Amino acid sequence: MSTLASEPINSGIGKILAASVVAAWRAFRSYRARRLTMLKLSELNDHELKDIGITRSEIVSIAYGSPGQRRRSHDSICF
């Protein structure tokens, strides 16, 4: 009988595979949440966006960045 058959599934390659699947699932869920955020914010008109304190140019940075890293359209101008 082989020694591989007696090893538990959670050892070695099993742990690596399980961690990879979990990481991929988390990345997929994060991606879907960002896309949904962008979709929902894009559906709002400019007046509604102004009411919540953002502009249309900030939607992507809000979805993909942290609130402290919001990039406004006038921030991208370099002198």
Side-chain angles (χ1 to χ4, degrees):
M1 183 173 236
S2 149
T3 58
L4 292 176
S6 63
E7 289 184 21
I9 189 76
N10 291 334
S11 68
I13 194 87
K15 284 184 180 181
I16 294 170
L17 181 59
S20 297
V21 169
V22 169
W25 179 249
R26 287 182 180 156
F28 175 73
R29 287 186 54 153
S30 177
Y31 165 78
R32 293 292 296 161
R34 288 188 306 265
R35 295 291 299 168
L36 182 61
T37 300
M38 287 178 44
L39 176 69
K40 293 299 182 182
L41 288 174
S42 296
E43 290 174 350
L44 299 175
N45 63 40
D46 290 336
H47 180 72
E48 293 168 328
L49 289 171
K50 186 177 180 182
D51 283 347
I52 60 174
I54 64 172
T55 62
R56 193 159 301 282
S57 65
E58 296 175 295
I59 291 175
V60 174
S61 63
I62 288 171
Y64 283 89
S66 66
Q69 297 175 335
R70 282 184 18 196
R71 196 154 172 102
R72 295 176 174 92
S73 59
H74 62 274
D75 290 342
S76 61
I77 300 172
C78 295
F79 294 101

